[in-house]
Amino acid sequence: MAFRIPFRRAFATAARSSLKIGLVPADGIGTEVIPAARTAIEALGSDIPKPQFVDLLAGFELFTRSGTALPEETIDALKESDCALFGAVSSPTRRVAGYSSPIVQLRKELDLFANIRPVLSVAPNPLDKPDVDLVVVRENTECLYIKQETLTHTEHGREARATRLITERASGRIGRMAFDIALTRPRKQVTIIHKSNVLSVTDGLFRETVRAIPRQDAPKYDDVTIAEQIVDSAVYRLFREPQIYDVIVAPNLYGDILSCVTFLRNIQ
């Protein structure tokens, strides 16, 4: 469950009287957690603008009933909302003709390019500082998630291919998002995650683009320290010593995996 529409519009002014929130339970556990989240928001009372909830449909279960996973009505309503809560999507592991993940489509429709995932551990002693306080900044529109795949038949059997897209534009804006977040934090460190030792063109472009940002925007980011890590090493270190990280920025697939790693590590 996550807020999927940026808060900039939602909280542009403290004087606003209401907050329009789209609720998309979608599938599975989403139908349980979204009503609970609504109750929690309502319990905030006057601490936030009065919420106006809009119930919306999406998901694989909807697709099986109607043939549509993401209705145009849902997209239009979310464009008019200040923010949104999206539950869970039960995307099948097998290929289903005509089906595409609604959350991936929403990211494209609304240009939700930054998936910001903070991770904060709870210290056993309330007086102690948490040993893990990091943010994963995941690029949300490119990489393998553009879903350009082909399946062909050759003399040796079936052959599947997937296109991976990394652009300077997307890498630059997610990199700036990571640096901007780092400026708000005490440690002010950004770690770039890549696999450019193997994928020298695609991951190489991501790495080079993000590393160039402090030079392009000097002196804005002069206080931010840059580090980098090969993705497989980063997974290992997130389990062994996650406290070394501050802000992590990664392409879509790596960011997805690393977010899950940090979550699993912190519920052990």
Side-chain angles (χ1 to χ4, degrees), residues 1-5 21-35 37-38 53-60 62 69-71 73-75 77-79 81 83-89 102-103 106 110:
M1 180 180 66
F3 283 93
R4 298 292 184 180
I5 296 178
I21 304 174
L23 298 180
V24 192
D27 306 317
I29 195 174
T31 59
E32 300 178 32
V33 298
I34 293 300
R38 174 174 179 161
F53 297 101
V54 182
D55 296 314
L56 302 170
L57 296 175
F60 183 68
L62 176 66
L70 183 63
E73 295 84 355
T74 296
I75 297 172
L78 289 176
K79 288 179 179 179
S81 299
C83 56
L85 285 169
F86 195 104
V89 176
I103 192 61
L106 265 182
L110 304 179

Side-chain angles (χ1 to χ4, degrees), residues 200-263:
S200 58
V201 177
T202 50
D203 276 16
L205 177 61
F206 182 84
R207 172 185 175 274
E208 292 164 9
T209 302
V210 177
R211 287 197 69 95
I213 290 171
R215 297 193 300 272
Q216 297 168 353
D217 295 349
K220 179 179 180 181
Y221 301 122
D222 285 354
D223 294 334
V224 178
T225 302
I226 305 176
E228 58 181 85
Q229 192 95 57
I230 301 298
V231 63
D232 42 349
S233 176
V235 170
Y236 172 78
R237 298 190 76 179
L238 276 169
F239 268 107
R240 299 286 295 182
E241 46 182 353
Q243 65 276 3
I244 70 171
Y245 294 106
D246 184 21
V247 178
I248 294 173
V249 61
N252 206 339
L253 178 61
Y254 303 157
D256 193 4
I257 295 170
L258 292 175
S259 298
C260 295
V261 168
T262 55
F263 172 75

Side-chain angles (χ1 to χ4, degrees), residues 46-99:
S46 60
D47 289 341
I48 63 170
K50 183 179 180 180
Q52 296 179 346
F53 297 101
V54 182
D55 296 314
L56 302 170
L57 296 175
F60 183 68
E61 293 177 13
L62 176 66
F63 174 80
T64 61
R65 299 194 308 267
S66 67
T68 301
L70 183 63
E72 287 295 329
E73 295 84 355
T74 296
I75 297 172
D76 293 341
L78 289 176
K79 288 179 179 179
E80 297 300 319
S81 299
D82 296 304
C83 56
L85 285 169
F86 195 104
V89 176
S90 302
S91 293
T93 55
R94 68 190 188 284
R95 183 177 181 274
V96 177
Y99 176 76

